Amino acid sequence: QVQLVESGGGLVQAGESHTLACAASGIIFRYNIMGWYRQAPGKQRELVATLTRDGITNHGDSVKGRFTISRDTQTTVDLHMNSLKLDDTAVYYCYALRDDGAEFWGKGTLVTVSS
């Protein structure tokens, strides 16, 4: 059973930095891509950042230059968020794509940015 577990959500002040972590279980070496998406109230889920097994990153336009995705271990990816804005308030979901095409999602962790 594959599980993705996010941690690190909470209340943060605008302008501050914060880090989210995602821990994956299961046959982790088969993950081609791991990453983060987010969904703000009333909006569609959007890409935040992804990281391939080969280390190639892709960041969404709204977070480029502020957020960075990195691999902590073979089973953990972190999302480093800098210069947080009120618009960054959202539920952040961990995502993984396995090499057989199966997709997995975490349950999400809420980040609330306050002024």
Side-chain angles (χ1 to χ4, degrees):
Q1 182 72 22
V2 173
Q3 285 188 320
L4 301 176
V5 180
E6 303 98 339
S7 62
L11 179 65
V12 294
Q13 295 287 321
E16 291 187 345
S17 298
H18 198 68
T19 297
L20 302 180
C22 172
S25 65
I27 310 175
I28 48 87
F29 61 83
R30 294 178 61 187
Y31 295 134
N32 277 342
I33 297 174
M34 292 188 70
W36 292 90
Y37 286 74
R38 70 183 182 185
Q39 187 166 17
K43 296 186 178 180
Q44 291 186 329
R45 191 172 295 189
E46 66 171 353
L47 166 71
V48 178
T50 57
L51 174 65
T52 71
R53 184 186 297 169
D54 296 329
I56 299 172
T57 62
N58 181 37
H59 293 79
D61 289 340
S62 61
V63 305
K64 281 181 181 177
R66 299 189 299 121
F67 290 13
T68 303
I69 188 170
S70 65
R71 188 184 304 276
D72 184 33
T73 67
Q74 287 298 318
T75 63
T76 306
V77 290
D78 293 339
L79 182 67
H80 306 279
M81 305 182 291
N82 297 316
S83 303
L84 282 161
K85 305 176 180 179
L86 299 180
D87 287 347
D88 294 321
T89 294
V91 177
Y92 285 73
Y93 296 92
C94 185
Y95 166 83
L97 173 67
R98 207 165 57 186
D99 59 1
D100 62 357
E103 294 183 310
F104 303 93
W105 294 90
K107 293 182 178 180
T109 186
L110 176 63
V111 174
T112 302
V113 182
S114 65
S115 59

